[in-house]
Amino acid sequence: MRLLLLNGNTDSGITARLAALAEEAIPRLGLPAAQVVPATAPFGARYISTRAAVAIASHAVLAGLAANLGPANEAGFDAALIACFGEPGIEAAREVFPLPIVGMAEASIAAGLARAPRVALLTGGALWVPMLEEFARVRGFGPDRVMVRGVTPTGDMIARDPDGAVALLAEAARAAAADGAGVVVLGGAGLAGLAPRVAPLAGVPVLDSFDCALSAALGGRAPRGAPAAQAPMLGIDPSLARCFA
């Protein structure tokens, strides 16, 4: 299998870290062997943390997919994973590209609800809390099914100092469990790989959203795109323009 791993942030260091984590996680999770091809969003925020950054990243994700896939997936990928918890542009991508496209939040909510009736999404950055609450609500999950919690450091801060974030994340996970969460999801590219360290301190199962997305992408549970006829676009990247021809 070939998996395109597209980081919706522009921090290439996080892309490299995710690619390394993927290589480690695939055998650990018992997934089919896969060639993981990492890519980074061509423009936008270093690490997405606001609605404006999400909006720009949606365009960047489409451009990044177009550059790596081609209009009809001529590159022959079996699936694409948008490695950004807010999943910028995922619905639009499924409308354009003819292959399964996975998002970290969607996959981890499904995995969490398969284990408990109420899930907590725990992420970095206070501004993500209302955005993810809206994300869950649009997909039909109220706070009785999916609650959202955040810690003050943003995901990129956590990625730069994971040792300093473990205790803070564990404290927030315990608080979410006290509020009724049966499973806690660590959400965000910057939090990938921390679940095994947080879980022993949390009192409830802790899932890694990146692991959940890999399992969906390589385990045959990825929603396949349904490309629609597109009107031509002007003034956009040539690779993406070909997808709207």
Side-chain angles (χ1 to χ4, degrees):
M1 296 186 70
R2 295 188 77 215
L3 175 67
L4 176 62
L5 174 62
L6 177 62
N7 178 13
N9 308 285
T10 58
D11 187 337
S12 59
I14 287 181
T15 305
R17 179 170 172 268
L18 291 174
L21 286 171
E23 296 292 346
E24 176 274 326
I26 288 170
R28 170 171 54 80
L29 297 172
L31 297 172
Q35 177 191 12
V36 177
V37 179
T40 305
F43 55 85
R46 181 176 178 275
Y47 198 90
I48 300 166
S49 59
T50 65
R51 291 183 186 276
V54 170
I56 293 168
S58 296
H59 181 187
V61 162
L62 291 176
L65 290 171
N68 287 277
L69 297 174
N73 189 23
E74 294 88 347
F77 284 96
D78 296 287
L81 194 165
I82 299 176
C84 173
F85 199 61
E87 301 180 357
I90 191 168
E91 291 89 356
R94 288 172 178 161
E95 189 182 77
V96 175
F97 301 101
L99 79 167
I101 299 177
V102 177
M104 292 168 65
E106 181 181 71
S108 56
I109 288 173
L113 290 176
R115 300 184 63 168
R118 196 176 189 201
V119 174
L121 305 182
L122 175 56
T123 193
L127 291 178
W128 268 114
V129 173
M131 289 193 287
L132 288 174
E133 288 174 339
E134 181 180 292
F135 176 97
R137 188 167 59 250
V138 166
R139 287 154 180 80
F141 301 114
D144 59 322
R145 302 293 310 284
V146 178
M147 68 172 74
V148 183
R149 297 290 185 270
V151 295
T152 299
T154 59
D156 60 334
M157 294 176 183
I158 292 171
R160 292 197 298 270
D161 182 21
D163 293 340
V166 169
L168 187 63
L169 291 168
E171 180 182 7
R174 289 193 297 271
D179 286 341
V183 170
V184 172
V185 171
L186 294 189
L191 283 68
L194 292 181
R197 299 177 61 184
V198 174
L201 308 173
V204 292
V206 177
L207 303 182
D208 184 321
S209 60
F210 185 57
D211 279 1
C212 294
L214 283 172
S215 295
L218 299 178
R221 300 192 303 277
R224 178 171 288 276
Q230 302 289 343
M233 299 281 180
L234 299 176
I236 61 175
D237 177 88
S239 295
L240 184 55
R242 287 195 292 274
C243 299
F244 293 96

